[in-house]
């Protein structure tokens, strides 16, 4: 049995607590705002099928890899790759890259999350008749206002992370995830009582394969990495707080199914809601091209419009609950982004958790304020750290695990908590995916992205 260093680092209290925390990390803006927008942008159900394939053949194997590296080393990503590398200094670079991606992704994630907070107030103010104040708070281009909500969200994130693993992260996600699911279901039931909703459902379930292209596969893979929280060691870090009794493979399966499930359910709300707004006269699709008018700001531009059209106290309650829901989902994700650099500072520089969280949070807050005023940076950061950064991280993790640390060692670690692993086909199948299928697919996607950059 593999022995691991013991330390006074935190651990998850319960099996379900870990699964909910990892699912909480996965479920976020990516599911409720990103996924439905991408579905609508890419012709509906055909995108969903390709996305499911990406989650299954790349996402799930990489998730198992991250959990395993984390539990084996019980370290942050930098420490983890150092520990497994036999002194090769290059390996730690994978970890440093993850810490950097975490910092930079969080810097714009808190700005968008700040918008969700702001829209809770916008909906309330609109309802009680303070329309011009509502408009100011809902103005996505208002720098000082953005900065205030960004910092507020950053402080919330830091406060949970200072609470540590079981008292902070596990407790928060255990309470928040079920509420999230309940609110989603209520909103879906309501939306289907409105005109136009079934048109949305039609688009959502009937695949149009004429829309499938190389670009669509790129979007689907990028979305899978972002939504499952993969490629930068967030799940290495969460895996580092796991005990030896937990079945890693089973946990990864639950988290993947949960994340995909919530995205599909969120689409069932947002896509019909778009068509309801359209039936109420809001322009959503360009009638000439069939493209979405506002893909990035869809949730923040179009949905409040719909809530206002519903009107009255019902419209307000729908709006407020929707944005609280989005904010909660974002919070359980942002804590995992912050936990990566924080655990790095705690482990590698011997700083106390509280100090580490405020320090790293302060740095992210400063960058977040800059982004609040310069929204163009969001696209730039998304491009460098999400679209390139995460798949690149995933590729390096696969190569490191498959060819340096070796999958046999990883499978030995997985045996703890999964006693009869050798009697299943899991080992050879997973090995095949981690060594060949996943890295090849990611490399292809990255290569075609570079090809596109240089005008190919
Ligand atoms: N998965 C989250 C979402 O869908 C975002 C996120 C949280 C993330 N932690 C991450 C993305 C780590 C990549 C890596 O909104």
């Amino acid at each position: 049995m593999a022995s691991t260093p013991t330390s006074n680092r935190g651990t998850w209290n319960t099996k379900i607590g870990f699964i909910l925390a990892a699912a909480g990390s996965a479920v976020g803006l990516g599911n409720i705002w990103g996924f439905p927008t991408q579905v609508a942008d890419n012709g509906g159900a055909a995108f969903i099928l390709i996305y499911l394939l990406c989650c299954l053949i790349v996402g799930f194997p990489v998730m198992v890899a991250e959990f395993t590296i984390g539990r084996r080393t019980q370290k942050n990503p930098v420490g983890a790759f150092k520990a497994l590398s036999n002194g090769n200094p290059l390996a730690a670079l994978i970890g440093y890259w993850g810490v950097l991606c975490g910092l930079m992704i969080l810097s714009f994630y808190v700005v968008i999350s700040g918008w969700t907070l702001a829209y809770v107030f916008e909906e309330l103010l609109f309802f009680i008749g303070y329309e011009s104040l509502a408009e100011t708070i809902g103005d996505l281009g208002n720098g000082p206002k953005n900065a205030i909500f960004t910092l507020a969200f950053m402080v919330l994130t830091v406060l949970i992370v200072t609470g540590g693993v079981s008292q902070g992260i596990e407790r928060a996600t255990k309470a928040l995830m079920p509420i999230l699911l309940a609110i989603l279901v209520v909103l879906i039931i309501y939306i289907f009582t409105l005109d136009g909703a079934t048109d949305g459902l039609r688009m959502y379930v009937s695949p149009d394969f004429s829309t499938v292209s190389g670009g669509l596969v790129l979007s689907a893979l990028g979305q899978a990495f972002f939504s499952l929280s993969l490629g930068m060691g967030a799940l290495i870090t969460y895996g580092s707080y796991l005990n030896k009794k937990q079945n890693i493979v089973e946990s990864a399966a639950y988290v993947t199914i949960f994340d995909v499930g919530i995205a599909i359910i969120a689409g069932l709300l947002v896509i019909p809601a778009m068509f309801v707004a359209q039936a109420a006269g809001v322009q959503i699709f360009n009638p000439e091209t069939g493209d979405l008018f506002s893909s990035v700001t869809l949730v923040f531009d179009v949905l409040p419009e719909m809530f206002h059209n519903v009107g009255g106290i019902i419209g307000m309650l729908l709006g407020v609950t929707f944005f609280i829901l989005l904010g909660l989902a974002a919070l359980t994700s942002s804590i995992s982004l912050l936990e990566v650099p924080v655990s790095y500072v705690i482990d590698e520089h011997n700083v106390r958790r509280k100090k580490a969280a405020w320090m790293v949070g302060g740095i992210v807050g400063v960058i977040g304020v800059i982004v609040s005023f310069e929204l163009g940076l969001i696209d730039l950061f998304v491009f460098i750290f999400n679209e390139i950064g995460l798949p690149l991280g995933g590729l390096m993790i696969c190569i490191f695990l498959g060819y340096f640390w070796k999958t046999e060692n990883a499978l030995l670690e997985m045996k703890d908590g999964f006693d009869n692993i050798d009697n299943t086909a899991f080992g050879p199948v997973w090995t095949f995916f981690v060594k060949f299928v996943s890295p090849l697919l990611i490399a292809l996607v990255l290569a075609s992205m570079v090809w596109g950059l240089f005008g190919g």
Side-chain angles (χ1 to χ4, degrees), residues 170-216:
E170 182 170 352
R171 241 167 85 187
T173 41
K174 233 169 144 174
L176 296 181
M177 292 300 291
I179 301 177
L180 191 144
L181 200 61
I183 299 179
L184 261 182
V185 170
V186 170
L187 284 175
I188 290 170
I189 294 172
Y190 180 77
I191 205 81
F192 277 100
T193 66
L194 303 179
D195 281 348
T198 47
D199 293 337
L201 186 63
R202 202 163 303 130
M203 169 180 192
Y204 200 54
V205 296
S206 38
D208 171 9
F209 287 104
S210 70
T211 60
V212 176
S213 64
L216 184 144

Side-chain angles (χ1 to χ4, degrees), residues 33-34 37-38 41-42 47 58 97 101-102 104-105 108 214-227 230-232 295-296 376-395 441-453:
W33 158 82
T37 311
Q38 296 247 24
D41 231 353
N42 289 298
F47 177 86
V58 183
W97 179 243
C101 285
M104 300 310 282
I105 290 175
F108 71 80
L216 184 144
V217 179
L218 291 188
S219 311
L221 186 72
Q223 175 66 22
F225 263 91
F226 187 78
S227 189
L230 296 173
M232 50 152 278
S295 44
V296 183
L377 288 173
I378 296 181
D379 280 339
L380 183 71
F381 287 7
V382 165
F383 181 65
I384 300 175
F385 300 103
N386 283 12
E387 294 182 345
I388 296 179
L390 297 179
L392 185 64
L395 178 65
L441 253 167
I442 300 171
L444 230 101
V445 165
L446 286 177
S448 69
M449 191 131 48
V450 173
W451 176 253
L453 266 185

Side-chain angles (χ1 to χ4, degrees), residues 25-31 105 109 225-230 232 234 333 336-337 390:
S25 160
V27 175
L29 297 172
N31 304 61
I105 290 175
Y109 204 85
F225 263 91
F226 187 78
S227 189
L228 294 170
S229 297
L230 296 173
M232 50 152 278
S333 298
S336 82
L337 286 160
L390 297 179

Side-chain angles (χ1 to χ4, degrees), residues 110-119 136-153 368-375 378:
V110 285
V111 177
I112 303 176
S113 305
W115 290 344
T116 70
L117 274 191
Y119 264 95
T136 309
I137 291 213
D139 178 3
L140 302 182
N142 183 330
K145 186 269 313 175
N146 285 345
I148 291 169
F149 282 97
T150 295
L151 289 176
F153 197 86
V369 167
I370 297 172
V371 176
S372 297
F373 286 91
E374 289 294 333
L375 296 179
I378 296 181

